[in-house]
Amino acid sequence: MENYIVSARKYRPQTFESVVGQQALTQTLQNAIRQNHLAHAYLFCGPRGVGKTTCARIFAKTINCLNPQNGFDACNECESCKAFNEQRSFNIHELDAASNNSVEDIRALIDQVRIPPQIGKYSVYIIDEVHMLSAGAFNALLKTLEEPPSYAIFILATTEKHKVLPTILSRCQVYDFNRITVPDTIAYLQQVAANEGVTASEEALNVVAQKADGGMRDALSIFDQLVAFCGNNITYEQTIAVLNVLNADYYFQLVEAALQHDVTKALLLFNDVLTHGFDAGHFVTGFAQHLRDVLVCRDAQTLPLLETSDAVRARYAEQAKYCQPMWLFMALDILNTCDINYRTARNKRLTVELALVKLCQLGVPQTVTTAAPQKPAAKAAEQKPTANTKADATPTPTANASANTAPAAPAAPAMPKIPKIGLGFGPKKGEPAANANTNTDANADTNADANAPFTADQLRDAWVGLAQSFKEELRLKQLIENYIPQMIDELTAEIQMPNPWQMTEMRKALPDIMRRLRKVLHNNHLQIQLVQAEYNQEQMAFTAEEKYALMAEQNPDLAQLKERLDLQID
């Protein structure tokens, strides 16, 4: 039985051209080899699995090739190349600094540097995870690294460049490796799948690439895991089951539910997510990432920011057609706030559900869903109800009419009562309940409820109730509770703000506050003015001259005494 070799080793690049996602860096190394401009020390740094050690080995093999092709490609036929391919080359020395990080290990390496190569031109010393060396080991390496023998080349590799001593960095040519993009990872995995006779859908490989997070070694390891589970046919459903990844369909359906203002569907989808064992916090961050991807799909200039396959990008672009930018901005803000509050929330599920409810309420038309307030009984009796009512008006009530019918006006009111709706305010204590048998006026003006009069008491009640809708914004809630508007005419109210900071905070929130008040009071002509309160700050005396002036003002004889005695103020 043939020994199995994992894909990460089997498909490890053997030439610079086969290295994925590092074209600029490999081209620089090839030019250095062609022009014979080789440095004595290199530092390869970057995330895991992006090709640092691989490029170091290819570089060492190429510079020792006896018959290079095109000046920078190994021939794979000379003795040096054969020894490298058979892993018996004495010109390439690898040291794992994670387990050989002491001063004695580095001294042994320095003693080895003194021995020149037997075949080839250079002895290459590859020190992996060099940031794990101790401070003493770094200092022991420092002198040799700065002035090595002419045949010695050091290649240091690390994932944490910031932990390498500045004195080491200054003696190396630094090469920063990039994360491998999702399209490059998908393309390489497709090549591997074709060589292995495996059929894999593009959506499945996209999930693998996203899970690998820019590392090709991780992507190939995940690919082997999927082949072991799925066989020669890898599907999207099997991939998300093996990797325990939340199906992207949930996010697409949640956006559709939010656009349709379907709170029930959104909550049921979230419950299904929890039922399958996924963490609610990860769900929030994933949903926010989904909305971010939808947002970048709306503009061709930001489309490259979406790292995914063409099939998945097309699906995002299709949903982006139905999402307005402002809606996406507000939705992202809601989810970001939910993510911040989630860590400290006691009822974490409720925190996420409230965020979903807010998403479903975005863009809800600001029209009143109940019937318009009734005219006085004397006028209502003169008009006969007809069938041409508004689409959202309450039908002509009977004795068993619904409780949603608009409340009746008093028999002889000085001003019609305003039904308190929109913010969930209940009837005031002692106020009569709504009459379910009130007749509706079907031919009333459709804008009557948008210009209904209101009293100062009704404005105050609506203002106090409004504070409860800003529980998450404590500063704004306190401002609303502390400063109640005062009526200056029938449609205008005034708020006295004590300082500029509170004036600025209230001015920012005033458009939203007025919109809600107008909805509650059924009057679109309501205006609220912010006025800076005047206050006198007592002038304090600090200097000697200011203290004398204040004392002389209170006691004029003090000035005469000063003049007679010719006194000076110190």
Side-chain angles (χ1 to χ4, degrees):
M1 182 177 179
E2 184 179 358
N3 292 332
Y4 172 74
I5 302 177
V6 296
S7 298
R9 292 182 55 194
K10 184 177 181 180
Y11 292 98
R12 192 166 196 166
Q14 301 297 321
T15 62
F16 284 120
E17 287 76 9
S18 59
V19 177
V20 180
Q22 311 295 342
Q23 285 76 15
L25 191 146
T26 55
Q27 184 64 43
T28 303
L29 294 175
Q30 288 176 334
N31 293 340
I33 297 173
R34 182 190 295 111
Q35 300 169 8
N36 197 25
H37 290 172
L38 302 181
H40 62 275
Y42 296 88
L43 177 64
F44 292 171
C45 51
R48 68 182 189 278
V50 295
K52 299 184 297 297
T53 306
T54 296
C55 284
R57 292 177 178 177
I58 297 173
F59 182 78
K61 174 184 176 181
T62 304
I63 62 178
N64 279 310
C65 179
L66 302 178
N67 300 308
Q69 306 295 320
N70 301 322
F72 56 85
D73 284 335
C75 65
N76 291 318
E77 297 178 356
C78 65
E79 178 60 25
S80 177
C81 290
K82 290 180 179 179
F84 177 85
N85 294 335
E86 296 173 3
Q87 299 181 359
R88 55 180 178 83
S89 175
F90 291 100
N91 293 349
I92 301 174
H93 312 272
E94 294 192 33
L95 177 69
D96 180 19
S99 56
N100 301 276
N101 54 8
S102 66
V103 176
E104 289 74 14
D105 295 325
I106 296 301
R107 286 177 178 173
L109 178 65
I110 294 173
D111 292 339
Q112 192 176 4
V113 171
R114 299 174 182 174
I115 304 175
Q118 302 302 312
I119 300 177
K121 300 179 181 179
Y122 302 98
S123 291
V124 182
Y125 298 87
I126 302 174
I127 305 179
D128 202 7
E129 301 297 336
V130 69
H131 66 274
M132 299 291 289
L133 290 178
S134 63
F138 270 126
N139 293 328
L141 179 64
L142 192 59
K143 187 61 178 178
T144 304
L145 189 66
E146 182 177 10
E147 297 179 358
S150 59
Y151 52 80
I153 293 179
F154 289 89
I155 302 179
L156 315 180
T158 179
T159 57
E160 300 184 38
K161 174 183 173 183
H162 61 280
K163 291 185 178 181
V164 180
L165 295 181
T167 52
I168 298 293
L169 293 176
S170 64
R171 289 163 172 79
C172 302
Q173 283 190 6
V174 181
Y175 288 78
D176 292 307
F177 283 69
N178 301 320
R179 291 176 59 258
I180 302 176
T181 62
V182 172
D184 288 343
T185 303
I186 293 175
Y188 193 75
L189 290 177
Q190 288 175 336
Q191 296 178 9
V192 173
N195 293 337
E196 296 294 326
V198 175
T199 303
S201 65
E202 189 173 356
E203 292 79 5
L205 295 182
N206 177 72
V207 174
V208 174
Q210 296 284 356
K211 190 77 172 180
D213 193 25
M216 184 59 71
R217 181 172 60 240
D218 293 351
L220 291 172
S221 299
I222 296 173
F223 177 80
D224 289 345
Q225 182 181 354
L226 291 174
V227 171
F229 177 78
C230 306
N232 293 332
N233 186 20
I234 301 176
T235 63
Y236 174 76
E237 291 75 12
Q238 292 172 325
T239 301
I240 61 176
V242 172
L243 302 181
N244 196 30
V245 176
L246 183 60
N247 195 333
D249 288 338
Y250 282 106
Y251 298 138
F252 284 101
Q253 294 181 37
L254 278 169
V255 173
E256 294 176 359
L259 293 176
Q260 297 170 1
H261 316 303
D262 192 344
V263 177
T264 302
K265 181 179 179 181
L267 295 180
L268 290 176
L269 286 171
F270 177 57
N271 181 73
D272 196 22
V273 170
L274 297 180
T275 302
H276 284 80
F278 292 99
D279 181 69
H282 294 163
F283 163 79
V284 173
T285 55
F287 194 16
Q289 179 66 30
H290 175 83
L291 292 178
R292 176 261 182 194
D293 293 340
V294 174
L295 178 62
V296 300
C297 280
R298 288 191 55 83
D299 194 332
Q301 295 181 352
T302 58
L303 193 58
L305 298 178
L306 180 61
E307 293 186 353
T308 185
S309 62
D310 293 336
V312 177
R313 183 181 288 108
R315 189 174 183 186
Y316 276 103
E318 180 65 23
Q319 188 169 79
K321 297 178 182 178
Y322 304 99
C323 300
Q324 297 299 323
M326 185 55 64
W327 186 91
L328 291 171
F329 297 151
M330 299 175 67
L332 284 170
D333 182 65
I334 291 174
L335 290 177
N336 183 60
T337 303
C338 177
D339 185 32
I340 295 173
N341 296 333
Y342 182 84
R343 299 174 179 85
T344 58
R346 293 186 178 181
N347 193 338
K348 299 184 181 298
R349 174 167 183 166
L350 179 60
T351 301
V352 180
E353 289 177 339
L354 286 175
L356 294 177
V357 172
K358 291 180 181 179
L359 285 179
C360 294
Q361 296 302 316
L362 290 179
V364 174
Q366 300 299 323
T367 55
V368 181
T369 58
T370 57
Q374 302 304 308
K375 295 183 179 180
K379 294 185 177 180
E382 298 176 359
Q383 298 182 0
K384 181 179 180 180
T386 63
N388 298 325
T389 58
K390 295 188 299 183
D392 61 343
T394 305
T396 303
T398 62
N400 297 324
S402 172
N404 291 331
T405 307
M415 185 173 291
K417 287 289 184 180
I418 304 298
K420 298 179 179 178
I421 58 175
L423 296 178
F425 306 152
K428 294 175 61 178
K429 185 176 181 180
E431 181 178 323
N435 185 2
N437 296 323
T438 305
N439 292 327
T440 58
D441 186 358
N443 294 327
D445 183 7
T446 58
N447 294 324
D449 60 347
N451 302 305
F454 58 89
T455 64
D457 292 338
Q458 291 169 338
L459 175 60
R460 182 180 62 257
D461 293 343
W463 182 267
V464 173
L466 180 66
Q468 302 304 319
S469 62
F470 290 93
K471 292 183 178 180
E472 296 182 0
E473 304 177 45
L474 296 180
R475 292 184 178 179
L476 183 57
K477 180 176 180 292
Q478 293 175 356
L479 285 178
I480 296 176
E481 292 176 342
N482 294 337
Y483 305 104
I484 299 178
Q486 303 297 326
M487 295 288 296
I488 59 177
D489 60 35
E490 294 181 355
L491 298 174
T492 307
E494 181 180 273
I495 303 177
Q496 297 282 342
M497 305 305 297
N499 60 63
W501 179 86
Q502 292 178 334
M503 170 78 79
T504 302
E505 292 297 315
M506 182 65 77
R507 184 179 291 112
K508 292 179 181 179
L510 190 59
D512 185 35
I513 293 175
M514 289 182 58
R515 177 181 60 81
R516 300 190 187 194
L517 285 177
R518 288 171 177 174
K519 178 180 178 181
V520 174
L521 298 174
H522 301 285
N523 194 311
N524 291 334
H525 299 295
L526 169 65
Q527 297 294 332
I528 297 180
Q529 301 176 358
L530 300 181
V531 179
Q532 180 70 59
E534 297 181 359
Y535 62 97
N536 296 324
Q537 182 177 3
E538 183 180 357
Q539 182 66 29
M540 302 297 294
F542 297 101
T543 65
E545 290 80 1
E546 292 176 348
K547 293 179 180 178
Y548 167 74
L550 182 60
M551 295 171 62
E553 182 180 355
Q554 297 175 355
N555 188 359
D557 295 337
L558 183 61
Q560 297 178 7
L561 179 62
K562 175 179 176 294
E563 293 178 0
R564 290 179 181 179
L565 299 179
D566 194 19
L567 300 177
Q568 300 295 328
I569 300 176
D570 294 333

